[in-house]
Amino acid sequence: MKTILVTGSSGQVGSDLVAALRKQHGAMEVIESGREVAEQLLPYEMLDVTDSQRLGEIIEQDRVGTIYHLAGILSAKGERNPHLCWNVNVNGLRNVLEAAKFYQLQVFWPSSIAVFGANTPKVNTPQTTIKEPSTIYGITKVTGELLCQYYAHRFGVDIRSLRLPGIISYNTPPGGGTTDFAVEIFSEAIKKGSYTCFVRPETCLPMMYMPDAIKAILDLMRAEPAAITVRSSYNLAAVSFSVAELVAEIQKHLPDFICHYQPDFRQAIADSWPSVIDDTQARIDWGWQHSYDLPAIVADMLEHLSRKLAKEEALQPISS
Ligand code: SER
């Protein structure tokens, strides 16, 4: 039987996706990978995705049949190091696509709402529209989408992709994204009762709860190849809300919670992205449907995160 390789498996989406894949396919069939030296009981490979030779070795030695290629640099971190962002996001993906062509692998790769820019319609952003991103991250995602489409049409690579919105989850925090405020706000609300947000209260972005994101990825990968009419990347949506609306929903559970605002360079990035995405094509082609709206996300996040933080605190050594 062929195995599944997940790159960037210790990241926000990777950690939850690995758990879901192991439940579905068996723990030993799913290989995590990343740049950290890790002593793991379950399959793990050291891999820098810009190293095509190492990638090939792993594919051969572990009989890999599918790659979930999640390793990437997000929008805010990308602005701090554009060279690294291009190298990891574009050259890493190209290595995966070349390997997929050679070894006939199925590939999942996440694109992002960051492919859109100031000239894109902000509300009900269509599947096919102007893509002129202002960030290097967005530029790598547009390039990646075109590469995916090219490898699918020219070489028949079974590559599938989603334009992910901001993802909200409690297991692993995101790192270096513009939508990170929608995750940080929960732990700060529980721990401190206040949060200083780096974008303004009226900032409204497309968001999704992790269980919906995982379901979307797995449903897309299970769909019949003939059903996949988009080989660049599908628009994917669940909910859109402003920071003010998120704060008000959290206050229903934690009435004393206060949010302060101190916008930084991430405001301009958020302002360049759409607020509501039209994902009709995904709903038609492979039956995409989300489950979690804003009240459901907030209730579930607060419940799980409170439990997690309480457990972590109980494990802290007592200082004398
Ligand atoms: N969540 C990502 C970011 O903020 C967007 O894809 O960078």
Side-chain angles (χ1 to χ4, degrees), residues 99-162:
K101 177 180 131 195
F102 189 77
Y103 295 103
Q104 298 189 321
L105 314 175
Q106 193 193 25
V107 176
F108 172 80
W109 172 75
S111 184
S112 161
I113 53 168
V115 293
F116 302 118
N119 296 325
T120 307
K122 270 209 170 315
V123 177
N124 294 333
T125 308
Q127 173 66 43
T128 304
T129 184
I130 298 166
K131 292 192 287 294
E132 292 174 350
S134 58
T135 61
I136 188 68
Y137 173 68
I139 294 169
T140 66
K141 290 297 184 185
V142 173
T143 309
E145 286 193 7
L146 292 172
L147 277 177
C148 288
Q149 186 170 260
Y150 178 74
Y151 273 77
H153 292 163
R154 176 84 166 80
F155 305 118
V157 173
D158 187 2
I159 162 85
R160 303 173 183 210
S161 175
L162 299 170

Side-chain angles (χ1 to χ4, degrees), residues 1-10 14-15 17-19 21-22 25-34 40-47 54-55 57-70:
M1 207 168 93
K2 295 280 193 185
T3 60
I4 296 168
L5 176 68
V6 182
T7 72
S9 64
S10 61
S15 54
L17 183 65
V18 163
L21 288 171
R22 285 197 163 137
H25 299 273
M28 302 309 283
E29 308 308 313
V30 179
I31 302 149
E32 291 191 60
S33 67
Q40 298 222 13
L41 294 175
L42 295 171
Y44 179 90
E45 298 282 8
M46 284 272 288
L47 172 67
R54 173 80 186 125
L55 178 65
E57 279 166 18
I58 294 172
I59 292 168
E60 285 189 15
Q61 158 202 314
D62 295 335
R63 300 165 293 104
V64 172
T66 305
I67 301 185
Y68 288 79
H69 176 45
L70 306 181

Side-chain angles (χ1 to χ4, degrees), residues 74-76 112-114 137 164-166 176-180 273:
L74 291 182
S75 58
S112 161
I113 53 168
Y137 173 68
L164 294 182
T178 301
T179 55
D180 292 11
W273 292 349

